[in-house]
């Protein structure tokens, strides 16, 4: 046999021969504790409402949300991230349901904490897009532009009511400059130094958010390109990262996950805090749609996408498959 370099003595395929061999030498392993379940709760519905663009995902009632939280605990996942969907008539220009102690998100936080206590990290989306009649993540100025600093005042109020409602972790997701520092200060002012901040540090203006708009009943017209990041850019992600850490972020997030694995890897290499990635609605919907048509193996595709995200550097992953995958892993 002709010798080519170290071949035939060197044969990497020896370490791929059987499932047990492949499992033993695997460099990346998924575990139920890696996962956080994003969940939507809708005000004024008596039954869960299916989300057409996200097969298998629903807008929960308060009761079905509590059941989902209990299932998440049983599956061994680490957290649940709650998004509240208020009745359309309650939305206004400043997102009043977001700071109303009886707003749907705050009610749901209390429900879930009462159901699971400290067995599951109860996390809350801290943003105005679900609660404003214009659908933007902040309040608007007289010319219809998102007013960064006025929005920060609303975020401070939201942080306090979410903490009072039982959130272990708040997730400021609006991509306003200075949001992490303002939220940290607001929490500390009411003696809630124990509440953690999961900073949406890297959040791109992505086409893959499409199905999420249905999930939260978004009223948005236009886009969010003046505050979410440009998909063409990478260096600004590291700038955002440095600012969020300086302002007191306890954990940092990259969103979306799959299309931005290079960014995720750079962030993970740069920090000594936990790194989280959000596998968003469009990523979920593409796999489900292709699997429904028989074009891909659904279960293998799900595991492959999640393994890739973890391999790139995510310690934890928000995914709509969290409970399902955790159950299978266990």
């Amino acid at each position: 046999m002709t010798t080519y370099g170290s071949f035939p003595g060197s044969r990497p395929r020896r370490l791929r021969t059987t499932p047990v061999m492949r499992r033993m030498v695997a460099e990346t392993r998924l575990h139920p504790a890696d996962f956080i379940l994003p969940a939507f709760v809708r005000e004024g519905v008596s039954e869960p409402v299916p989300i057409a663009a996200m097969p298998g995902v629903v807008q929960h009632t308060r009761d079905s949300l509590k059941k989902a939280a209990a299932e998440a605990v049983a599956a061994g996942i680490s957290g649940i991230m709650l998004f509240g969907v208020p009745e359309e008539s309650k939305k206004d220009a400043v997102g009043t349901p977001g700071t109303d102690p009886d707003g749907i998100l705050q009610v749901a936080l209390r429900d879930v904490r009462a159901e699971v206590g400290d067995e599951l990290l109860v996390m809350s989306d801290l943003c105005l897009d679900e609660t404003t009649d214009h659908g933007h993540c902040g309040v608007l100025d007289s010319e219809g532009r998102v007013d960064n600093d006025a929005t920060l005042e609303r975020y401070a109020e939201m942080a306090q009511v979410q903490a009072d409602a039982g959130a272990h972790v708040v997730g400021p997701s609006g991509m306003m400059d200075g949001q992490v520092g303002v939220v940290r200060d607001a929490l500390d002012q009411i003696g809630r130094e124990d509440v953690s901040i999961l900073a949406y540090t890297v959040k791109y203006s992505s086409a893959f958010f499409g199905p999420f708009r249905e999930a939260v009943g978004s009223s948005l017209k236009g886009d969010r390109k003046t505050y979410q990041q440009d998909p063409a850019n990478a260096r600004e992600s590291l700038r955002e990262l440095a600012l969020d850490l300086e302002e007191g972020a306890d954990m940092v997030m990259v969103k979306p996950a799959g299309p931005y694995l290079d960014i995720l890897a750079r962030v993970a290499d740069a920090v000594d805090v936990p790194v989280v990635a959000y596998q968003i609605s469009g990523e979920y919907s593409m796999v489900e749609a292709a699997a429904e048509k028989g074009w891909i193996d659904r279960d293998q595709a799900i595991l492959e996408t999640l393994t890739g995200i973890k391999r790139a550097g995510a310690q934890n992953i928000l995914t709509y498959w969290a409970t399902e995958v955790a159950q299978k892993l266990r």
Side-chain angles (χ1 to χ4, degrees), residues 83-214:
F83 298 84
V85 184
E87 292 181 6
E88 197 69 27
S89 62
K90 294 184 180 179
K91 295 181 181 181
D92 59 22
V94 296
T96 295
T99 49
D100 180 354
D102 294 321
I104 183 59
L105 180 54
Q106 287 70 254
V107 169
L109 286 166
R110 290 194 291 270
D111 284 344
V112 174
R113 277 302 300 271
E115 183 73 21
V116 301
D118 293 330
E119 293 187 86
L120 188 68
L121 284 174
V122 181
M123 306 178 174
S124 56
D125 179 59
L126 200 164
C127 195
L128 289 170
D129 59 322
E130 298 100 317
T131 60
T132 54
D133 55 13
H134 47 72
H136 276 289
C137 297
V139 297
L140 306 182
D141 64 18
S142 59
E143 297 185 19
R145 300 170 300 191
V146 174
D147 185 326
N148 190 95
D149 294 5
T151 298
L152 294 181
E153 295 179 17
R154 299 290 294 135
Y155 286 2
E157 293 180 62
M158 292 181 76
Q160 292 176 342
V161 298
Q162 290 178 3
D164 286 343
H168 293 104
V169 180
V170 296
S173 61
M175 292 302 289
M176 297 298 121
D177 294 339
Q179 63 184 14
V180 172
V182 165
V183 167
R184 182 72 271 158
D185 186 56
L187 291 169
D188 292 352
Q189 283 178 21
I190 61 169
R192 297 309 306 272
E193 294 88 354
D194 58 318
V195 175
S196 301
I197 297 176
L198 169 55
Y200 282 61
T201 293
V202 180
K203 186 176 181 182
Y204 283 95
S205 180
S206 172
F208 294 97
F209 285 125
F212 184 85
R213 306 278 167 82
E214 178 190 349

